[in-house]
Amino acid sequence: MDKEWYDRSEAIRHALEQLRDSLDYASKKQRIGEIEKEQGDPGFWNDQEHAQEVIGELKGLGAVVDPLDKALTGAGDLAAMLEMAEEDDSFAGEVRSEVERLEGLIEALKLSALLSGKHDAAGAIITLNARDGGTDANDWAEMLMRMYLQWAQHAGYSSELIDRQDNEEAGINTATIAVRGPMAYGYLRGESGIHRLVRISPFNSEGKRQTSFAAVDVSPEISESVDVEINEADVRTDTYRASGAGGQHVNKTDSAVRLTHIPTGIVAQCQSERSQHKNRATAWKMLRSRMARFEEEKREAEDAAKYQNQAKSGFGSQIRNYFLHPDQRVKDARTKFQMGNFHAVLDGDIQGFLEATLRWRAGQPIADDDGED
């Protein structure tokens, strides 16, 4: 065997040692054992909400521990293969393929190591709002909502429509969806910001090019067991009549609920249920999530020295451009990552953007780009 394969094998062993520490492998493995023991309790499913939270936690832990277990087992097998290859050259091909397989696993695990935020393992609550651009912006907001729902489906995640307010002509004024699965918030948190679309407007009879904007806001879905400090005296509650499709669906009571946290100006609202009580409960859940995200951003600002070479971006910053005219491409303004297939992106193929943003947030270098959009 060439020395190269021994060197790469040693690099794999060293990388796995570092990943065991950075991914807190031992404590995750211990927690999996605790959960499996809890599942064996005859009364485990009596509290469905708690049981679902625990199952979600187990999936998140497994998404990290399982591939690391496979990589550690593979590294042990690789050492044996190298010994056999010293005596029999016919094992050389197996060594090469195993080294390449393990290197791929390690790259995926390094990405998992970036998902280490306090709420990264939680589900994500995504709120979309049409901004400038008239009806095109309403249509664009609905296109983005579909994009995230498609991504969730491709990733094997579940999704739920929490709230939706349709525009009279087309698209939506605002909508809120929940995406649940391992590290859903960790992957999607970087989607917060302004998304810009440039296309020939289907709503313009003259066929002119139209630029429209939609705002995306992503918060972690916080379970009741997580402490989020909110003084109820600081929250103003407004009720109003929910908009509907007309006819028999028109609401005759003020069932919609809007909560405003006065010190921060954070707003959460829900009108998807006919019951004001249910809408209030959902709005409080959304407010807790947004307050948790607000506290998370405060902590990030305090740690800004770690990212002093990276421009921060948030809910009000333009983060990505989507072009259907004059050419088709989607380009991230922060990472410079881009794809030439606009329709594939809108069909949910956004994993490349999510991973590039994770690396960017961790302070890894991004490509220079002098092009103008």
Side-chain angles (χ1 to χ4, degrees):
M1 288 295 299
D2 294 338
K3 183 177 181 296
E4 172 195 355
W5 301 101
Y6 289 96
D7 291 343
R8 287 168 71 173
S9 174
E10 181 61 22
I12 287 170
R13 187 189 65 78
H14 181 64
L16 288 173
E17 286 178 0
Q18 291 184 319
L19 284 165
R20 283 179 69 113
D21 293 336
S22 63
L23 292 170
D24 201 8
Y25 173 78
S27 65
K28 284 183 170 65
K29 195 83 170 172
Q30 180 181 345
R31 178 58 183 149
I32 286 174
E34 292 170 353
I35 290 175
E36 289 174 345
K37 184 178 179 181
E38 185 180 353
Q39 284 180 295
D41 188 316
F44 176 73
W45 290 102
N46 291 346
D47 185 341
Q48 286 284 328
E49 185 174 347
H50 172 71
Q52 291 298 334
E53 284 180 13
V54 171
I55 295 299
E57 182 185 0
L58 182 62
K59 287 181 179 177
L61 292 167
V64 176
V65 169
D66 291 347
L68 186 48
D69 276 338
K70 290 177 183 176
L72 290 167
T73 301
D77 293 342
L78 178 60
M81 285 181 192
L82 283 165
E83 288 182 11
M84 290 186 287
E86 287 180 1
E87 300 173 2
D88 186 347
D89 287 342
S90 65
F91 285 100
E94 291 183 38
V95 169
R96 293 187 187 98
S97 61
E98 184 65 1
V99 165
E100 290 166 357
R101 184 184 75 86
L102 288 171
E103 287 173 340
L105 267 177
I106 285 169
E107 284 305 306
L109 285 164
K110 285 179 179 177
L111 190 67
S112 295
L114 300 179
L115 295 164
S116 57
K118 183 178 180 181
H119 302 299
D120 280 358
I125 294 180
I126 307 173
T127 298
L128 306 103
N129 289 283
R131 289 291 184 88
D132 296 340
T135 304
D136 274 278
N138 298 111
D139 186 48
W140 175 224
E142 185 174 28
M143 290 166 67
L144 284 173
M145 179 178 71
R146 178 183 175 275
M147 180 183 79
Y148 291 121
L149 291 172
Q150 289 284 95
W151 174 81
Q153 183 179 0
H154 298 332
Y157 291 177
S158 64
S159 59
E160 177 189 358
L161 178 63
I162 294 176
D163 192 40
R164 173 177 175 141
Q165 297 179 32
D166 289 315
N167 176 259
E168 291 182 2
E169 186 171 348
I172 57 175
N173 294 322
T174 183
T176 299
I177 60 174
V179 175
R180 303 181 180 104
M183 303 296 172
Y185 176 64
Y187 279 117
L188 291 167
R189 63 192 295 240
E191 291 297 287
S192 288
I194 302 295
H195 296 243
R196 169 178 171 246
L197 172 67
V198 179
R199 65 173 175 176
I200 300 296
S201 171
F203 304 101
N204 187 310
S205 59
E206 298 177 10
K208 291 184 177 179
R209 190 170 85 160
Q210 173 76 29
T211 299
S212 48
F213 301 85
V216 175
D217 182 35
V218 185
S219 301
E221 187 175 36
I222 303 298
S223 71
E224 293 296 328
S225 61
V226 176
D227 185 32
V228 179
E229 189 175 333
I230 303 177
N231 185 345
E232 292 194 24
D234 290 336
V235 179
R236 186 180 73 240
T237 301
D238 298 303
T239 58
Y240 57 98
R241 190 160 299 180
S243 59
Q248 63 180 341
H249 301 293
V250 171
N251 283 283
K252 297 179 173 60
T253 60
D254 291 346
S255 60
V257 174
R258 180 187 297 111
L259 303 177
T260 304
H261 185 252
I262 296 169
T264 62
I266 293 173
V267 176
Q269 61 187 36
C270 184
Q271 64 164 356
S272 57
E273 302 287 346
R274 292 194 175 252
S275 160
Q276 185 186 107
H277 176 74
K278 289 182 178 178
N279 283 332
R280 187 188 303 274
T282 301
W284 267 104
K285 184 176 184 179
M286 292 165 63
L287 182 63
R288 292 180 76 251
S289 296
R290 288 177 185 165
M291 288 297 294
R293 203 271 314 269
F294 177 76
E295 292 300 324
E296 181 181 52
E297 289 180 343
K298 277 175 62 178
R299 284 192 298 273
E300 285 186 352
E302 291 167 0
D303 294 336
K306 297 179 183 177
Y307 308 103
Q308 56 186 311
N309 295 323
Q310 302 281 8
K312 300 303 290 179
S313 70
F315 182 60
S317 306
Q318 184 172 305
I319 65 165
R320 193 171 302 141
N321 296 293
Y322 303 71
F323 298 93
L324 258 178
H325 183 82
D327 59 339
Q328 287 193 28
R329 60 194 166 97
V330 180
K331 182 176 179 181
D332 196 282
R334 303 157 299 177
T335 67
K336 313 308 180 206
F337 181 87
Q338 62 179 319
M339 289 180 61
N341 190 333
F342 174 94
H343 294 290
V345 173
L346 268 292
D347 282 339
D349 186 8
I350 60 172
Q351 191 65 27
F353 290 99
L354 303 183
E355 293 180 4
T357 304
L358 272 174
R359 295 187 174 97
W360 173 81
R361 291 183 69 92
Q364 296 182 8
I366 60 174
D368 291 328
D369 192 315
D370 295 328
E372 295 184 1
D373 290 329

